[in-house]
Amino acid sequence: MASALLLLLLLLVLLATAATVPLPAALGPSPQLLEQLGGNVFAMQLVNVSAVSPEAAQTRVLCWVNTYHANHDARLHAIKRTWGTKCDKLLFMSDVEDMSVPTVKIVAPPSHDMLWQKHREIVRLLVREYKEEDYDWIFKCDDDTFVLMENLKAYLTSPPIQALAKREPVLLGHRMTLQWWEMQRLFEPFEDYDPEHVAAMLKVRDETRAKGGLIYTPGGGGYAMNWAYVKTLEANFDEPYCLPNDVVPDDWAISFCMRHLGVSLLDTRDSEKRERFHQYDPKEVYTKPHDEEAFDHKTFTSIYQENNWFSDHNGIGWQNGDKCCAPDSVSFHYVKPPMMELFYEYYYGKSAATST
């Protein structure tokens, strides 16, 4: 009888403390972690970390993270403690040299409007300082991007991508549509800009307008480039169709430039059209309303005439809910500390490394 009572007491103690004791990693995330992740969990649970094949393990990725001085302390050490540990080379490209990280100083104006000029200098540095024999791919992202490197390497070593990368320039990321009016707006009034650059813009505008606009890859969710892409881009930087010295966003300027060379973007979604590279955080991509009637009917006749998620994906399409995210998703954008460490704990079952 005494033994039975003792067992009963032990069971009651275990039940009472179960909600406060973290679960072992093998049993899944703890209730506390799930609570901290909040609305991100619904999309995150759709994504798995891929097993690393021998071929993927041998694939070398140089990670280029765009940043600037105000974000060093808050974000860069978090990346170094989490997904950055899985890069074969991790470079933080900033406006100042900070040896505590460390960062690489890029000589370009440290403003968001001048990211195209910063991007050009970084690409030139990479071509000058690093070699194809040392790294197979270059992955570019922002300092608030969370990356599942195992999934990236698995995707890069998939047969279709490997076959393509061996014979032509390849850029892999989330695709969006630059509305023709947004492209044109940056060159108005036309007489204030280089006539050759305006002519290049008008050519692309007219060729893509019927389809909604120029398809490009936003940088926030990250994108991977093979060396053929990087070297081709660098070799054409000073051509008028690559808009040298213009104040334009770096992400669409790249696709604008390469389009003149006949290089188009690949559809990186899976067979069910679920995205692998995400321009927003998990909560946003899961819950964003998918309503084509949600526009100003007094001013427009279609949702594609406004700046919104539909016109941003005109000719591409997008999905939310359980169709938002491929199981082998690579990246999410707008993930800042401490959420970055929580994402890492969720996917890897352990806290971020303590040393940086």
Side-chain angles (χ1 to χ4, degrees):
M1 179 66 71
S3 298
L5 287 173
L6 181 59
L7 287 172
L8 180 60
L9 286 172
L10 287 172
L11 179 60
L12 290 173
V13 170
L14 287 172
L15 289 173
T17 58
T20 59
V21 176
L23 294 172
L27 299 180
S30 69
Q32 292 89 342
L33 176 58
L34 295 177
E35 183 178 359
Q36 289 173 300
L37 290 169
N40 289 297
V41 171
F42 300 106
M44 291 178 70
Q45 66 187 1
L46 302 173
V47 179
N48 306 306
V49 178
S50 300
V52 180
S53 68
E55 189 173 21
Q58 294 176 6
T59 299
R60 299 153 301 175
V61 176
L62 184 155
C63 299
W64 146 21
V65 180
N66 256 4
T67 187
Y68 82 119
H69 64 275
N71 289 346
H72 288 189
D73 290 341
R75 301 184 185 182
L76 305 194
H77 292 289
I79 291 175
K80 289 179 65 179
R81 289 193 298 268
T82 57
W83 66 265
T85 62
K86 299 174 181 294
C87 297
D88 297 284
K89 181 71 175 181
L90 178 61
L91 297 175
F92 294 107
M93 305 299 197
S94 185
D95 58 314
V96 299
E97 183 180 35
D98 182 348
M99 295 307 297
S100 71
V101 179
T103 62
V104 178
K105 180 180 179 179
I106 302 300
V107 180
S111 67
H112 191 270
D113 289 341
M114 300 300 291
L115 280 177
W116 179 221
Q117 305 310 318
K118 179 179 180 179
H119 190 102
R120 287 157 50 89
E121 293 308 310
I122 293 171
V123 169
R124 285 175 169 142
L125 180 149
L126 293 174
V127 170
R128 183 175 67 247
E129 301 292 338
Y130 296 92
K131 304 300 179 185
E132 191 170 352
E133 304 83 61
D134 298 325
Y135 303 102
D136 302 297
W137 292 83
I138 294 173
F139 181 79
K140 181 269 176 190
C141 66
D142 288 349
D143 58 16
D144 57 351
T145 307
F146 183 82
V147 182
L148 292 165
M149 187 57 62
E150 293 86 350
N151 293 1
L152 174 61
K153 289 190 174 185
Y155 184 51
L156 296 178
T157 53
S158 62
I161 299 301
Q162 277 194 315
L164 200 62
K166 288 178 181 178
R167 65 176 187 266
E168 62 185 72
V170 173
L171 182 146
L172 304 167
H174 183 96
R175 296 177 308 151
M176 294 181 72
T177 308
L178 174 67
Q179 300 92 340
W180 67 266
W181 60 84
E182 287 293 339
M183 182 194 305
Q184 178 175 305
R185 180 178 59 82
L186 294 177
F187 290 87
E188 293 176 337
F190 293 163
E191 57 268 22
D192 289 351
Y193 293 86
D194 186 308
E196 288 187 290
H197 299 188
V198 172
M201 181 276 296
L202 292 174
K203 179 177 184 292
V204 173
R205 183 203 66 181
D206 293 343
E207 290 175 350
T208 62
R209 183 169 180 170
K211 297 180 180 180
L214 172 71
I215 304 298
Y216 74 101
T217 301
Y223 50 75
M225 301 173 282
N226 66 352
W227 279 99
Y229 194 98
V230 173
K231 291 179 177 180
T232 302
L233 180 64
E234 192 269 344
N236 288 274
F237 269 152
D238 293 326
E239 297 294 338
Y241 52 76
C242 286
L243 309 177
N245 304 315
D246 283 323
V247 180
V248 293
D250 59 307
D251 43 19
W252 72 251
I254 299 164
S255 296
F256 184 98
C257 173
M258 295 295 276
R259 188 181 189 280
H260 285 82
L261 301 170
V263 180
S264 57
L265 296 174
L266 296 179
D267 186 347
T268 57
R269 297 173 294 182
D270 71 3
S271 60
E272 297 183 29
K273 297 190 180 301
R274 297 173 296 190
E275 296 284 357
R276 288 188 170 96
F277 299 82
H278 301 284
Q279 181 60 9
Y280 290 95
D281 64 28
K283 180 181 178 180
E284 182 76 3
V285 298
Y286 190 91
T287 61
K288 184 177 285 292
H290 196 288
D291 181 4
E292 290 197 44
E293 294 302 314
F295 65 93
D296 182 357
H297 289 256
K298 294 181 180 179
T299 306
F300 304 104
T301 59
S302 166
I303 197 168
Y304 293 95
Q305 296 169 346
E306 289 184 317
N307 287 351
N308 53 52
W309 200 236
F310 284 92
S311 61
D312 282 345
H313 293 82
N314 197 348
I316 301 171
W318 63 281
Q319 301 181 107
N320 61 2
D322 289 345
K323 290 290 187 180
C324 70
C325 308
D328 59 342
S329 286
V330 169
S331 61
F332 290 101
H333 192 201
Y334 299 119
V335 181
K336 304 172 185 177
M339 198 60 72
M340 188 170 290
E341 289 94 335
L342 297 177
F343 275 42
Y344 188 83
E345 183 177 351
Y346 177 89
Y347 282 115
Y348 296 100
K350 55 185 177 182
S351 298
T354 56
S355 62
T356 58

